[in-house]
Every structure is written in C-alpha cells, then in structure tokens.
Amino acid sequence: MVAVVLATLTALVWVTLWTPPTGFAWQGRFLLDSSGLRADVDGTALYVLCAVGGGVLLGVFAAFQAHEPRLTLTAVLVGAGLAAVLMVAWGHQLEPLDAARLAKSAADGTKMSGDLTVVGRAPLLAWPISALASYLLLVLWLTPRDRAVAPESVLADGRDDG
C-alpha cells in the first residue's frame, strides 16, 4: 500500500516537473526535433531522480516497520518493483495527449509536444535499488551490535585457556 501511494506521488512530481519534448508531424508520425531529443532524455533522467527519492522513502518506511527481516526484504523488493511499473503507468495517464495518435491526423510539419517516456528498462531498476539500499543501510545501522565480551565472562568456570 505504501509503495502504491509513493508511486502515485512520485508520478505526480515527475509529470509536474517534466517539460514535454518538441517535435512535428511528418507522414502520419511524430518526430522529435533537436531540442525535443534532449527533452526526451530529460524525461527518463527525471524519472530516475523521482524513482530514487521514492525508493529511499519506501526503504526508510520499511526499515522502521520491520518485524521479520526476510519477509520485509521481500516486501520491499516486490513493492519497489510494483512502484516502478505503477509510476510509469501513472505518468502516462497524467501526461498530455498522445503525440503519435495526434500525428496520424495532423498535417506534415505541424509542431506538437511529445510524450512522457522512459527510454529502456534500466531506469526501472531505480526503485528497487534505492529501496533495497536504504532499507539495508538503516536495518544495519539500527540493529544493536554485540559488545565486546568481557574477559571474565569468556569461560564460565573462570579458567584461562590461553
């Protein structure tokens, strides 16, 4: 549930901060212009930035709620994977109209804005990697460490074997 809420919030941030790439219609297709190519890459970079933030928040929440570490670790990974996919889905739902669909009926040379996209599959790993890293770091940091054993408590009978 937390992953779904975080995915929704990060998708809202992603869409709000995103600047649509510019392009034009040509023979029923949408083509990016030179500045649109840069903006298209910026959409993926912005996705990664928002996803890392969401993943860190998910990992922090999980670390403070952890009761059974293995179960929590599994939940973090599954939740982060779900959040990665949901963030992309929400982003596409919240973006302006589909440029490819508009270009089919537009005259050649008509200027228009492009779509919000994530290029490749690697950016989808931002959620699980950041969630896992923050969870593990906090769990290791918050777990009490065994203190050095006092010499007199090494052997119950008080003998020194050394």
Side-chain angles (χ1 to χ4, degrees):
M1 180 64 173
V2 173
V4 172
V5 171
L6 287 172
T8 303
L9 292 174
T10 53
L12 285 170
V13 171
W14 182 35
V15 171
T16 302
L17 296 177
W18 171 67
T19 302
T22 56
F24 56 92
W26 185 257
Q27 297 178 351
R29 294 180 29 210
F30 173 73
L31 301 175
L32 294 169
D33 58 19
S34 60
S35 62
L37 288 171
R38 284 188 296 279
D40 196 38
V41 173
D42 291 347
T44 300
L46 190 56
Y47 170 87
V48 170
L49 183 65
C50 293
V52 166
V56 167
L57 290 174
L58 180 62
V60 167
F61 178 82
F64 285 107
Q65 299 299 317
H67 299 292
E68 175 58 41
R70 290 182 191 142
L71 181 62
T72 304
L73 179 62
T74 303
V76 166
L77 290 175
V78 170
L82 175 65
V85 173
L86 282 176
M87 184 177 164
V88 171
W90 280 117
H92 287 298
Q93 290 296 320
L94 296 170
E95 73 173 323
L97 298 174
D98 185 13
R101 199 168 8 134
L102 292 173
K104 288 180 183 180
S105 60
D108 286 353
T110 303
K111 292 188 181 275
M112 52 182 44
S113 296
D115 297 334
L116 180 59
T117 59
V118 175
V119 179
R121 293 186 183 154
L124 297 176
L125 295 175
W127 268 98
I129 289 172
S130 60
L132 180 63
S134 62
Y135 170 73
L136 290 176
L137 286 172
L138 274 175
V139 166
L140 291 173
W141 183 54
L142 295 174
T143 303
R145 292 171 190 79
D146 293 340
R147 302 290 179 225
V149 180
E152 60 272 359
S153 65
V154 172
L155 296 174
D157 61 3
R159 289 183 296 125
D160 185 17
D161 285 347

